Amino acid sequence: MIRFTVVTITYNAESVLQSTLQSVLRQTYGGVEHLIIDGASKDGTLQMAEDYKSLSDQSELGHKVIIKSEPDKGIYDAMNKGLSQASGDYVVYMNAGDCFPQDDTLEQVVHRCRLMESPSDELPAVLYGLTDIVDGEGKFLYHRRLQPPAQLSWQSFRQGMLVCHQAFYARTDIAKNLQYDTRYRFSADVDWCIRVMREAERMNLPLVPVGIVTANYLEEGQTTKNHRASLFERFRVMCRHYGFFQTVALHFWFLMR
C-alpha cells in the first residue's frame, strides 16, 4: 500500500483549520499519516487539533495523527520539521484553509499512480495534480490560472509555478534530503519543488500527472498578502535555477504577452 504523509502547518489558525481537518478525516484511503506542526498557537487551534485526533483515532480507517506544537522560525522552518518526521511514501502539504476536494482524492491519486507504474516497480519521484481556488467558506471561485503540462520537468517552472505546492506529492525519501531553504520567506516552496524535480531527473525517475483536482487552495495566503516581496524573491529563485539572463528574458516575455 502506498502511504501518504499529509503535513499541515498551523499558527493561530482556528478560523480556517476545521475545513482542512475534516477533508483529511473524510479521506476514504487508509494509508494516511497526518502531521500537524503548530507554531505554539495562542488561540483554539490546538484544542481543535486534539479534538480532531480523537475523532480520527475512533474512526474505522484510523489515520495516524501526530500533533507537535512549539515555536518555530517561520513557515518553512515548520515545513522542514514536518518533512523530517514524515514516514509515508509521499509527502504533501495541506495547510490550514486548504482542503482535499473529494473524500476519495487520495484513492484516485493512488489509482492513477498504479496505472503509471514503471517496469521496475519503483515509485515515481513526484505525483502532481490540478488546483482550484476557493474562498474562506470553501466555495469554488475559479480554476488556478497556471496549469501543469502533461510532461512536467524542472525546466517547466521557467514559465511560473505550474503546479501548486498543495498538489505536489514528493517521494519522501527524496524530499528528506532536500529541505526547504529558510533564507526565503515566501518562495522556498518554489525552490524546493524545482530541486525535487531536478533530483528526479538525475535519478531518472518519472513525474506523473494524476489528471484530477487534488487541492482546493484558499485564495488569501501568505504570498498573496506579501505580493510585491514575493515577486522579488521568486525572481531570485528563478535566477538561481535558470540563470539571470534567461530569467530576465522570460519576465520580459511575460510583460509583452
Side-chain angles (χ1 to χ4, degrees):
M1 170 183 273
I2 294 174
R3 297 169 300 119
F4 296 98
T5 294
V6 180
V7 181
T8 299
I9 307 302
T10 62
Y11 180 69
N12 293 342
E14 65 175 343
S15 63
V16 294
L17 179 60
Q18 190 62 39
S19 59
T20 305
L21 300 180
Q22 286 298 313
S23 82
V24 181
L25 181 66
R26 291 195 300 264
Q27 287 304 298
T28 54
Y29 189 72
V32 178
E33 172 186 68
H34 192 186
L35 305 181
I36 301 172
I37 309 298
D38 180 72
S41 290
K42 297 175 176 61
D43 63 358
T45 296
L46 280 177
Q47 186 59 56
M48 188 177 290
E50 292 290 352
D51 291 345
Y52 157 72
K53 183 179 186 306
S54 296
L55 284 173
S56 186
D57 289 346
Q58 295 167 20
S59 72
E60 292 182 4
L61 290 174
H63 297 159
K64 182 180 180 181
V65 178
I66 299 172
I67 303 168
K68 182 174 183 179
S69 181
E70 63 183 19
D72 56 51
K73 298 175 183 177
I75 188 169
Y76 295 118
D77 178 47
M79 286 182 177
N80 280 335
K81 290 179 180 181
L83 184 57
S84 297
Q85 293 183 61
S87 66
D89 298 300
Y90 288 96
V91 59
V92 62
Y93 289 82
M94 197 65 63
N95 290 334
D98 305 321
C99 302
F100 292 108
Q102 304 292 337
D103 293 352
D104 65 344
T105 296
L106 291 177
E107 279 199 70
Q108 292 186 60
V109 170
V110 169
H111 175 68
R112 283 159 175 78
C113 177
R114 285 174 176 158
L115 291 176
M116 298 293 293
E117 281 183 356
S118 64
S120 66
D121 290 331
E122 189 166 13
L123 290 174
V126 174
L127 310 173
Y128 62 96
L130 308 173
T131 304
D132 283 343
I133 309 302
V134 299
D135 65 14
E137 296 180 351
K139 295 178 181 177
F140 171 82
L141 295 176
Y142 51 90
H143 299 299
R144 188 171 185 262
R145 182 179 62 84
L146 293 177
Q147 297 289 333
Q151 297 295 324
L152 184 72
S153 77
W154 70 272
Q155 295 279 2
S156 302
F157 273 35
R158 291 180 299 176
Q159 309 299 324
M161 193 175 187
L162 299 183
V163 181
C164 182
H165 190 219
Q166 285 79 352
F168 188 93
Y169 294 67
R171 222 174 77 176
T172 306
D173 59 341
I174 297 172
K176 278 179 177 286
N177 294 321
L178 300 167
Q179 294 213 334
Y180 292 85
D181 188 338
T182 56
R183 292 174 297 178
Y184 298 119
R185 292 182 59 207
F186 311 113
S187 301
D189 52 347
V190 183
D191 170 70
W192 180 76
C193 288
I194 294 172
R195 287 189 288 120
V196 168
M197 291 187 290
R198 292 186 78 158
E199 181 64 10
E201 182 178 278
R202 188 191 70 79
M203 297 174 68
N204 196 31
L205 291 171
L207 314 176
V208 172
V210 297
I212 60 168
V213 175
T214 61
N216 285 344
Y217 179 71
L218 187 62
E219 184 179 40
E220 186 65 22
Q222 182 71 9
T223 301
T224 307
K225 294 177 183 178
N226 299 277
H227 184 63
R228 185 178 177 85
S230 173
L231 288 177
F232 278 112
E233 189 174 89
R234 189 163 298 194
F235 181 82
R236 288 171 49 209
V237 170
M238 302 289 277
C239 288
R240 173 181 179 179
H241 291 286
Y242 307 119
F244 175 78
F245 292 108
Q246 185 172 145
T247 301
V248 169
L250 284 166
H251 279 70
F252 181 74
W253 181 74
F254 293 151
L255 290 172
M256 292 297 291
R257 187 179 58 173

